[in-house]
Amino acid sequence: MSLTKVIKQEARALGFVAVGIAPVSDEQEAVGPGDGQPHPVQSPFSRRLYDRLTEWLRQGHHGTMAWLERTPEKRADPRQVLPGCRSIISVGMTYLTDHRANEQPGYGRIARYAWGKDYHKMMSNKLKQLEARISSLVPEAHTRSYVDTGPIMEKAWAERAGLGWIGKHSNLVSSDHGSWLLLGEVLTTLELSVDEPATDLCGSCTLCIQACPTNAIVQPYVVDATRCISYLTIELRGDGSMISPDLQQGMGNKIFGCDDCLDVCPFNLRAEPTHETTFQPSPVTLAPSLDELSRLDEQTFTTLFQQSPIRRAKIHGFQRNIAIAQHNKPRPTSLPS
């Protein structure tokens, strides 16, 4: 069995339902000006990533996420993250469960990925195990793994590795697993057998664009984060005055993240639920009572969401989101006398 097949087999044994290999570049290195040291030549693919990222930043679509402005050339070229990087092992894990959220009045809505425990630690541990296996097979190989935490444009590399394509909502879509894949990657100096890039199968479908309640998908494949409910409820700091009235209205009952553009994707009909315990919901995340959550103090918030991605919003952001959802709660209509 080839090294590439062994690595893929190990990844699947660790619970990753999708795995593919993307080439970083086959171009030679050039000597940098003045220092006589080799520097990687940016490949055409990395150049396209750089141009796409810098244009998105120029438009101000990143809002207050200032860290995205730092070293965009590094984000576009993995060899500036791991010198000598030749391949990226892209993996995906489905987080779809067979549960349904409580949509009755008085309850908030939390994005599916945050129904269970924080996936970063679980997936990172699995990728560390994959790195250890690679090291045992090829001791001289260098690797580095990330789950959302590194300067890697993971969706673009996952698309190049054949895991799926970037849909018009800017998220990855898999023909097998729909929109419900969480991504991770292992950068390696190994030159592995690569997979065919995925083909965009969105066609003329615009369901995700139509479904966005705040019109955050400003054009196909481009999301203005400053209008996206996920950004507004998670990344944006400050009180309710930071969010315009029209965006607050569009948030509806969403108190952490949003799945609207993902829920409507036709490819979700093929997705199978996961049995991974990390993603299984708790009673609070499946049926978050707005009244009960509005009364949380900081200590209770920290205890309740100790192992949850919801911690990222912090107590003040979470309470702000709850207050907006309560304001948006449908008012009972009075019956004619």
Side-chain angles (χ1 to χ4, degrees):
M1 188 180 297
S2 71
L3 177 61
T4 300
K5 288 184 178 180
V6 170
I7 291 172
K8 286 184 174 182
Q9 187 178 66
E10 290 291 329
R12 293 191 180 96
L14 287 167
F16 296 109
V17 298
V19 56
I21 312 292
V24 172
S25 176
D26 56 2
E27 298 184 13
Q28 295 179 340
E29 290 187 325
V31 175
D35 58 10
Q37 298 298 315
H39 291 261
V41 177
Q42 198 171 52
S43 70
F45 183 76
S46 289
R47 169 54 62 178
R48 289 195 299 273
L49 293 186
Y50 175 82
D51 291 343
R52 186 191 311 168
L53 174 59
T54 52
E55 175 59 22
W56 188 76
L57 292 169
R58 189 187 70 79
Q59 295 284 346
H61 292 330
H62 59 304
T64 59
M65 297 183 289
W67 64 88
L68 292 173
E69 302 174 22
R70 303 185 197 121
T71 59
E73 66 282 353
K74 184 176 183 180
R75 292 185 176 277
D77 191 346
R79 292 173 302 174
Q80 296 194 35
V81 179
L82 177 67
C85 181
R86 294 181 180 177
S87 307
I88 293 182
I89 306 162
S90 186
V91 298
M93 185 172 286
T94 183
Y95 62 96
L96 175 69
T97 69
D98 55 4
H99 298 82
R100 293 180 65 87
N102 189 327
E103 297 286 2
Q104 292 178 304
Y107 291 92
R109 183 66 190 267
I110 292 170
R112 283 181 182 273
Y113 84 88
W115 283 3
K117 298 177 182 178
D118 194 332
Y119 64 89
H120 291 89
K121 183 176 181 180
M122 178 270 292
M123 289 184 64
S124 293
N125 288 340
K126 289 180 181 295
L127 288 180
K128 292 298 181 186
Q129 293 179 58
L130 184 59
E131 285 188 88
R133 178 58 173 152
I134 293 171
S135 180
S136 71
L137 293 168
V138 189
E140 65 272 20
H142 295 283
T143 60
R144 187 167 298 171
S145 63
Y146 294 109
V147 179
D148 290 346
T149 53
I152 301 295
M153 299 174 71
E154 61 181 7
K155 289 180 286 188
W157 292 104
E159 182 179 62
R160 199 177 198 204
L163 267 64
W165 67 95
I166 297 175
K168 292 176 183 176
H169 48 26
S170 84
N171 292 290
L172 197 79
V173 183
S174 163
S175 57
D176 295 321
H177 309 289
S179 303
W180 312 115
L181 281 182
L182 293 170
L183 301 175
E185 55 279 332
V186 175
L187 282 61
T188 178
T189 53
L190 291 171
E191 190 163 351
L192 301 172
S193 300
V194 301
D195 292 280
E196 286 291 324
T199 300
D200 186 337
L201 300 179
C202 285
S204 60
C205 179
T206 58
L207 287 176
C208 59
I209 298 175
Q210 298 172 49
C212 181
T214 55
N215 299 312
I217 308 174
V218 293
Q219 67 184 71
Y221 309 102
V222 178
V223 171
D224 180 354
T226 66
R227 299 190 62 84
C228 178
I229 294 173
S230 288
Y231 167 82
L232 297 173
T233 57
I234 302 172
E235 300 297 340
L236 183 65
R237 304 295 178 224
D239 59 22
S241 66
M242 298 291 293
I243 306 174
S244 65
D246 66 308
L247 292 178
Q248 288 194 28
Q249 184 177 3
M251 287 166 63
N253 69 335
K254 298 175 182 66
I255 58 175
F256 188 89
C258 180
D259 287 328
D260 284 7
C261 67
L262 304 178
D263 281 332
V264 298
C265 182
F267 286 92
N268 290 340
L269 297 173
R270 308 182 186 186
E272 292 289 335
T274 180
H275 297 293
E276 168 60 49
T277 57
T278 299
F279 301 122
Q280 301 308 311
S282 70
V284 172
T285 56
L286 205 59
S289 168
L290 295 175
D291 288 342
E292 291 179 10
L293 292 177
S294 69
R295 295 191 289 268
L296 291 182
D297 57 31
E298 187 158 7
Q299 182 177 353
T300 308
F301 172 83
T302 301
T303 302
L304 185 62
F305 298 115
Q306 183 177 10
Q307 300 183 63
S308 167
I310 293 172
R311 291 175 306 161
R312 185 168 179 84
K314 303 187 183 302
I315 179 66
H316 302 295
F318 197 55
Q319 297 287 25
R320 174 202 62 197
N321 301 339
I322 291 168
I324 293 172
Q326 287 178 314
H327 179 77
N328 290 334
K329 187 167 62 176
R331 301 292 189 267
T333 56
S334 58
L335 296 175
S337 56

